[in-house]
Amino acid sequence: MTLKHSMSLIGKNCAATSRLTATISARLQGFRSNAALESLTRAGEERTQNLVLYNYPSFSGAFSALFAHLFHRHLNLPCLILPFSSVEPLRVEDLCIDGLEKCYFLDFLGPKGFASELSRQTSCKVIGFDHRNSTMSDIHLYKDFNSNITYQVNLEKSSSSAVYDYFCANLSEMRCSNGHTACLLDAEDQDRVKMVLKYIGDGDLRRWTLPNIKEFNIGLSNWRSKLNCITNPHLFEQLLKISVMNLVAHGSAYIASRQSSATKFLEKVFKVRLGRGLYGECLGVRIDGNSSLSDEIGKELSMKSEAAGLRPIGAVVYMQGKNLKMCLRSTDSFTDTSEIAKVYGGGGSPCSSSFIIRMDEYNEWLSF
């Protein structure tokens, strides 16, 4: 047996689900919304046994919810799936629905004591998945002697991959016992979805080793606003269609567009040489009104600065409120811009750092 929760109740509740998903809460920014609470009330009335909560707005959480959805659909088991956000989280009393037997926490373990209290009040089994180092370091806060609670925290595998493996194994076991075989994903979707999970895991585990991982993550970020299955009832259908190739293409186009804008900007403005305070001269530019391009402009300036025989640093300056913010970028692996930023109370990484600077001090750095 397993659990399932979705804004679309599987099986007997399809018509009711259509009505519920059409009722969008007026509190669009809240996740303890009227629509979510109404779906929980209906689930209690219909004694829905399976509840799935997924971390929002996490891609591992959303894909994990997809796999829970597919699992319960294969077995025709009613379940309710809801996003769980720390912005306005659901409460234990919200989830105490009649007939609840299992509750999954996907890509998070809930607030301290949350799972234990839910299991105590409902006698349901709670199964949680996570992959974060911070969760592992705090795992002692979640441990108790409740045999109904199981946590699967794997630092070598993202939650989405762990949940996929879990539901695949459970579906295979249950189908085999009935003399049938079944796969969680159709053959045409399997390789594509597995590749997406591989790339999501590369980011989740902070490895950043796969080809075009930056472009992939940029393309994927466009989906973040769609990960709420309450306001987006077609979420699971959409996730099944995502491909690494398309996301990389979108990310590459975005990067190229930004780079083109940065190049055009630099062609129109006067670049100055900055000296004092930078331990050697480099090229800099004021970009008031174009701060969103600071990274691309800074990197291009870094290359131009090196080509001009100056330090391989690009300095981008713009007004932030009443202050001047200076962003330092370098494309040279031997140059540490953060050493400069720290002197002025800022910080960052070797290739990307920033700090606040007074106008009079900035003017003293200018050399022509």
Side-chain angles (χ1 to χ4, degrees), residues 80-362:
L80 180 62
I81 300 175
L82 291 174
F84 190 99
S85 170
S86 59
V87 174
E88 190 176 1
L90 292 164
R91 304 167 185 171
V92 170
E93 55 266 31
D94 299 331
L95 307 178
C96 293
I97 60 178
D98 292 338
L100 183 63
E101 294 185 1
K102 286 186 179 179
C103 182
Y104 285 109
F105 289 8
L106 304 183
D107 196 39
F108 77 115
L109 301 186
K112 178 184 175 182
F114 191 93
S116 298
E117 186 62 20
L118 176 62
S119 180
R120 185 187 68 79
Q121 292 195 31
T122 64
S123 298
C124 74
K125 292 184 178 179
V126 176
I127 304 172
F129 295 83
D130 205 340
H131 60 259
R132 297 169 181 80
N133 283 305
S134 57
T135 300
M136 181 61 77
S137 62
D138 292 337
I139 194 66
H140 63 282
L141 301 176
Y142 296 92
K143 289 183 177 179
D144 57 27
F145 299 100
N146 191 332
S147 60
N148 281 335
I149 298 177
T150 302
Y151 294 132
Q152 298 192 27
V153 181
N154 189 336
L155 302 183
E156 300 300 318
K157 182 184 292 186
S158 71
S159 299
S160 52
S161 292
V163 171
Y164 174 74
D165 292 344
Y166 175 88
F167 281 119
C168 280
N170 275 267
L171 181 62
S172 177
E173 180 180 341
M174 296 181 74
R175 284 300 195 187
C176 287
S177 66
N178 294 327
H180 302 285
T181 58
C183 294
L184 195 65
L185 294 168
D186 295 337
E188 61 182 281
D189 298 326
Q190 197 168 65
D191 289 342
R192 183 178 66 257
V193 173
K194 283 185 175 181
M195 184 58 69
V196 172
L197 294 185
K198 185 177 180 180
Y199 269 75
I200 288 176
D202 198 47
D204 279 350
L205 302 177
R206 302 294 188 266
R207 290 171 177 164
W208 316 113
T209 57
L210 293 179
N212 302 310
I213 184 63
K214 178 181 178 180
E215 290 81 356
F216 171 84
N217 282 314
I218 290 174
L220 190 64
S221 65
N222 293 329
W223 284 84
R224 195 172 297 278
S225 62
K226 304 176 183 178
L227 299 184
N228 187 334
C229 67
I230 297 178
T231 57
N232 179 18
H234 304 294
L235 172 63
F236 300 136
E237 300 168 27
Q238 295 167 349
L239 291 179
L240 274 176
K241 297 177 182 179
I242 289 179
S243 73
V244 169
M245 183 185 305
N246 287 340
L247 293 178
V248 168
H250 284 297
S252 297
Y254 176 83
I255 291 173
S257 175
R258 302 265 300 181
Q259 187 60 54
S260 175
S261 297
T263 300
K264 290 178 180 179
F265 178 85
L266 285 177
E267 289 173 351
K268 297 178 181 179
V269 301
F270 176 65
K271 298 181 287 293
V272 300
R273 292 171 67 166
L274 298 180
R276 297 181 184 179
L278 291 172
Y279 315 125
E281 291 183 307
C282 71
L283 291 181
V285 67
R286 280 283 293 270
I287 61 166
D288 295 334
N290 294 275
S291 59
S292 63
L293 293 173
S294 61
D295 187 64
E296 290 82 0
I297 293 175
K299 289 177 179 177
E300 186 158 342
L301 275 176
S302 168
M303 293 184 287
K304 291 182 180 297
S305 183
E306 184 175 27
L310 307 176
R311 292 202 70 186
I313 294 176
V316 176
V317 187
Y318 58 88
M319 291 299 299
Q320 186 178 71
K322 297 180 179 180
N323 300 309
L324 271 180
K325 183 172 183 177
M326 180 172 288
C327 300
L328 304 179
R329 299 291 185 269
S330 180
T331 55
D332 182 273
S333 59
F334 299 102
T335 300
D336 188 352
T337 67
S338 67
E339 291 180 353
I340 301 170
K342 289 176 183 177
V343 171
Y344 295 93
S349 63
C351 63
S352 175
S353 62
S354 64
F355 58 94
I356 300 298
I357 183 173
R358 299 192 316 273
M359 181 69 75
D360 59 341
E361 191 168 19
Y362 167 71

